[in-house]
Amino acid sequence: MLLEIEGLNSHYGRIHALKSANLTVREGELVALVGANGAGKTTLLRTLSGVHPASSGVIKFDGRDITRLNPVRRVAEGVIQVPEGRQLFGPQTVEDNLRLGAFRRGSGTPDADLERLYELFPVLRVKRDQPAGTLSGGQQQIVALGRALMAKPRLLLLDEPSMGLAPLLVAEIFEAVQRLKREGVTILLVEQNAHAALSIADRGYVIETGEIVLSDTGPALLSNERVRQAYLGL
Amino acid sequence: MLAELLQYLLSGLTIGAIYALAGLGFSIIYNASHVINFAQGEFIMIGGMASATLTASGVPLPLAILIGCGGAMLVGVAVAKFAVERARKASTVTLIIITIGASIFLRGVAELVWGKDFKRLDAFSGETPIQLFGASLQPQSLWVMGCAGVLIVAIGLFFNKTLTGKAMLATSHNRLAAQLVGIDVKRVVLASFALSAALGAVGGAVVAPITFSYTEMGIMLGLKGFTAAVLGGLGHGPGAVAGGLIVGVAEALGAGYLSSAYKDAVAFVIILAVLLFMPNGLFGKRGTERV
Amino acid sequence: ADPIKVGAIVSATGPASFLGDPEKKVLELYADRINQAGGVAGRPVQLTVYDDGGAADKAASFTKRLIESDKVDVIVGGTTTATTMAAVPLVERGEVPFISLAGAVVIVEPVKKWVFKTPHTDRMAAEKVMDDLKKRGLTKLALVSEDSGFGKSGREQTLAVAKERGIELVADETYGAKDTDVTAQLTKIRNNPAAQAVLVFGLGQGPAVVTKNYRQLGINLPLYQSHGVASKEYIRLAGGAAEGVRLPAAGLVVASQLPDSDPQKKVVVEFTQVYQEAFSVEVSTFAGHAYDGLMIALDAVKRAGGTDKAKLRDAIEQTKGYVGTGGTVTMSAKDHMGLTLDAFHMVEVKQGDWTLAK
Amino acid sequence: MNMLTSHEPSSDAAPTARRPGPPLLRVEHLSREFGGVLAIGDLSFTVAAGDIHSIIGPNGAGKTTLFNLVTGVYKPSGGRVLFDGADVSGQAPYRLAARGMSRTFQNLQIFFNMTALENVMVGRHLHLDTRLLPALFRFPSLVRRDSEARDRAAQLMTEVGLSRYIGADADSMPYGALKRLEIARALASQPKLLLLDEPAAGLNATESREIDEVIKTVAASGVTVILVEHDMKMVMGISDHITALNHGRKLAEGTPAEVAANPDVIAAYLGAAP
Amino acid sequence: MNRILHGRLTGLAVLGAIIAVLPVFLTNNFHLDVAILAGFNAVVCVGLNLLIGYAGQISLGHAGFFGIGAYASGVLVGVYGWPPVAALLAGAAFVGVLAFVVAKPILRLKGHYLAMATLGIGIIVSIVLRTESGLTGGPDGMMVEPFKIFGVELYGEKAWYWVVGVLLFGVVWLSLNLIDSPMGRALRAVHGSEVAAEVVGVDTARFKVMVFVLSAVFASVAGSLFAHYAGLITPAKADFFKSIELVTMVVFGGMASTFGAVVGAVVLTLLPQALTVFQDYQQIVLGAILMATMVFMPKGLLPTLAGLLPSRRRA
Ligand SMILES: Nc1ncnc2c1ncn2[C@@H]1O[C@H](COP(=O)(O)OP(=O)(O)OP(=O)(O)O)[C@@H](O)[C@H]1O
Ligand SMILES: Nc1ncnc2c1ncn2[C@@H]1O[C@H](COP(=O)(O)OP(=O)(O)OP(=O)(O)O)[C@@H](O)[C@H]1O
Ligand SMILES: [Mg+2]
Ligand SMILES: [Mg+2]
């Protein structure tokens, strides 16, 4: 068990955004989390990264309780998030953004990784010296993903990685996610493109107004009537 | 005629270098947190007062400056830790008001510690003016300009070439994202305050022989430093230096050729004119936010 | 017994702090001493001091507070001409005796019913300097004045006195009270071949900056200052640059050099001793001004037999032969200062100390 | 009353047939460069009144830039934009809004210092009394119209599916809700031309279908819609006409079926026929 | 948000009641004097809050406008013998025109650059006031004649208290009206996102200029009346520090809250007076209070305190 969440609660002021959530992710597993707008998906990821405090409950990573660790320590443990809305360092160049992704790995030269990333997403190479903030929406999304990969995550938290991407790229991203999984990275994937997410996921969770209401294997959820109606538009 | 002009230029450059040093301090903190630290002037004051009083009681100058720097750094870290960091979610204006509060507080403490009178610090390498084509230059001016020069290069390298420097910048651009890549944003902000406090203190020490040091010396220098930093483009080190020199020279020429009373006005008219055509200062980055 | 309520507004901080700070200290020191000695006519002195930071509007507001809220019997202070003049209409309207510690002649000319002052006027300073120039056979003077109340008034008086005494003003520059660099103005004077001597009219650190810049520019003309710098502080700040500077000052700064025959000698020596013992810093004439102001007020309380404001005012106006740090004071309905030129000494800085100029 | 269709009657609305109407927007040889790179190059196309006209293309093709040029957020480096018969190139956005354009943003532009409802009310700006004196002295007519605007804004929010956020502060809303909020705000100004930049981003399939409905209703009421979207199900389902861009230039144009079958579009964008 | 902040009528009623009852507790002229000064500051701050708090445009030069108003009255009445009311109006008109002329280019600037530009304008104004001593009396200021209207001289703290009280009440009323109007919403939208405001038809430049001019005129009128009341004005009233003080009051009380601006102005006018008891520790205490308040109440005094009350959310 790489990640274990037990009875996790989280608030924004008086708003109870996450209600005793229980969730587990095994080492090497790809788990999808689906839910409507405002269900609390982003909140869950933010609480996992430590940028939003948990009100109660326990988060265990690799057997250790990390509920009270600060974000920096969690990143050091290898918990890496691709945040909603991309959150780039706008005025800094694309390459600086990517290098900063490797910040926690210290001063070692991540040039080889950078090169691999450029192979994977050629547009990054083209735009490497441009301020990240001036890129198109989809290009920025790729920078955000690339930056997270530079950190060599153990647990990758993806918050809607396909948002704003052209169909071709969506396919590429999902392929990349699968490849990462094959390389041993554990992934928790939040996606509005529930169909694609559940298709590649080992298991999935459904969250509604802050509560986890359903969990099953990916294929089972895909054929679940409730899921089909509420999230797949079928 | 030429000697007169040269004299004004030299005085302007000296004063300008002082402003430049103050402006650099603003830029550093801005680069780490987008906070405008109105207590920057007080760091300068601490440096000036510490070196003046310590040397007066027999401490050798380099040691006195070092102690001043250390003291200023402690104060800077305290301001960052107990005030700025705690109000992290507050708006920029609120943070500015906090630093104003800090500056009033520090001035009050300084008055208790050092008293209200002016302190004198001997020039580092004598007071015999250097004669240049009929104009004279104080040796201390060279110290000021030299310090400004060295520091701007060091700071430029730091922010543009080191990962730590880039991490500082990143923190100011997007604190959330900085946390998510593992940057300890609190430490970054503390470090930036420590760094600019040290810088301010060195500045205070080298300018003290020219301006005297007193507990209120930071007010004017702080204001002029802010001016220099904005004129050059906030966060841009060489810009702050250029801004400082421009303000200093404009003042000296204004005092020389127009009227001493309007010398500050001359500087501000120039600044307004620059901002009209370059809304982000001389070297400031243009907007990188898209819709 | 009812305390005698003495109010004070001084500029203990701000650009005039090197005047106001000693003033504040002296007032507090002597109020204590007098109370320990049993007060005045059996009544203790209750002192309320406000620091106006050198700002005229703050001085006005504190004056109002002293009159309206603290209900003081007499006000000492107004460190600078500006703060004094801000208080003047209020004390006139509120009918409270007011003894200013500032220099300009406008404070007491024309005479205002409730307003008095202790230091010599700027006009006297100008006269003293002109006399000295004449003695040295110099006739062309360059003036550098501060753009503050004292400096402006001093400038006007200098212009007037120069005309009277046939001295030609060949340059007329100004600087700001907070300026840290005056080389531009001094450069103009250096390049003016007519100038034979330079007079600086200002307070606080400004004149010290001028002095330093003056030497840095290598100007060798005789340099005069006003009594606005008559404090060791000035010499300390200007350092070696102050060597040879001349200025008119009260006897206090050269206490030990005064001839024993001088009636002031005993007073100034004793005051110097008390002051230096209490604060272990060198005495300044400004401290003396405050001392004189307080003493004249309390002396008047004794003579007036109480603190009725009208009687107190009359008693102050009738001060006769009071020997203070500034000289022997004899006031009248036409003269609310009561000092003559005799008590003003031309002093010169030699080896970092004041000496009576020959 | 259905707010989405309650626009002021426009004479040229032709709701009957899906024949292309007269052009409402005409883009001629438009270009825009950033630091020497052309984000839009020599682009020309027209949008017929009453149509739902989609712009598709790979990331970085220049779709958002095109929106910014059409709505006056950026000034073109060359070419013209004609709206409703008039040359409006380089006009300020607020002038274009007065002419009847409104839009949403790919990078959310929400008034986070206000409530959700107030955000939508700002959308009614053009239809309210915004003079200083009536505001200072609170003229009754102003107050009355303002409260009508409030009701109207609330109804619009309901129609885009935001009824539960009517009283909420904008800064407490989740991403998907904010996308809808932008649509409501844009609709509040009762535009002739509505430009939507990825309205379905961040919405799941079911939620996207809701937005489909909203767009269709709006279009049915005679509002012309230009849509940028990567959700091909939505684009192919509701568009009357599609223009595909690549590298700032036109790649293909036509009905959804035509464009979807175009080999260039498939190669550059779709990957496989949807 | 709380009812107290937004319920216009409740807020106005409370303000009116406080103004009406306060004199009972102000036992001497000095206390009235402080209240009057607080009132003048509050008037300026309410206007400044429209600009800073609502429209999100910083100004570090507003004391300049206050100063121009004050000196217009001082000079026109004292030197040229104008009737005070005419001088006040002329000052306000001049400030209005000046603000209008500078606003357009300046308000294109953002954030700290705007701060710098407004600061520059304020400083230039104060330098002119300090230097043109022929008219203005120079650094030490000038005396100003009392305010006369219809031959009646306004004299004494009592009379002025009511004048300022009514003025403040009026200004607050106008400000509340403005904010609760389409124009007010447009101003706040400018703060939130300028492009978004533009694309729904808000001429952001025009609204920014308008609110800048409006707040400058508020400051000028307050300055004129202040000059007559105080009888002495100095360039310090127009300088950078005064501008900073005004901004501090607005932020301290609570940005984007009209009553917050009033509270900020009142508290920060009283505080230095109250702190004189600390003697040499005055500055330290003032600085500490300022810091602590902003650290623990980053939204400002009033909004934070109001937030503590049980609040009913609006539907
Ligand atoms: N900063 C905030 N302040 C107050 N409430 C918030 C804040 N952020 C989110 N919420 C509330 O928390 C709940 C969960 O929001 P969250 O952003 O986690 O949803 P989500 O599932 O990620 O939605 P989406 O798919 O739209 O991104 C929502 O009801 C939202 O209104
Ligand atoms: N302000 C700018 N400075 C520099 N380059 C820019 C700027 N704006 C846009 N670009 C460039 O123009 C190109 C087009 O960007 P645009 O945002 O229009 O693409 P898009 O088609 O909307 O893409 P997406 O589908 O990813 O949103 C991109 O390569 C981008 O980097
Ligand atoms: Mg989310
Ligand atoms: Mg786009």
Side-chain angles (χ1 to χ4, degrees), chain B residues 11 116 118 120 129 209 256 260, chain C residues 12 174 183 188 212 216 236-237:
Chain B
S11 328
K116 291 160 194 157
F118 289 74
R120 179 194 158 81
S260 50
Chain C
T174 61
T183 43
K188 284 195 237 169
K212 279 201 336 176
Q216 278 156 1
R236 208 174 47 73
L237 285 177

Side-chain angles (χ1 to χ4, degrees), chain A residues 12 15 17 36-43 84 160 192, chain D residues 164-165 171-177 202:
Chain A
Y12 295 98
I15 297 174
N37 285 153
K41 308 179 291 295
T42 298
T43 306
E84 179 177 80
E160 309 199 17
Q192 290 297 9
Chain D
R164 63 180 274 224
Y165 293 108
D171 64 4
S172 72
M173 290 165 64
Y175 187 87

Side-chain angles (χ1 to χ4, degrees), chain A residues 171-191:
Chain A
E172 271 180 41
I173 290 280
F174 277 95
E175 259 164 44
V177 168
Q178 278 174 294
R179 189 163 53 241
L180 282 172
K181 175 184 147 65
R182 280 197 301 277
E183 286 168 11
V185 180
T186 311
I187 297 167
L188 178 57
L189 171 65
V190 167
E191 252 303 329

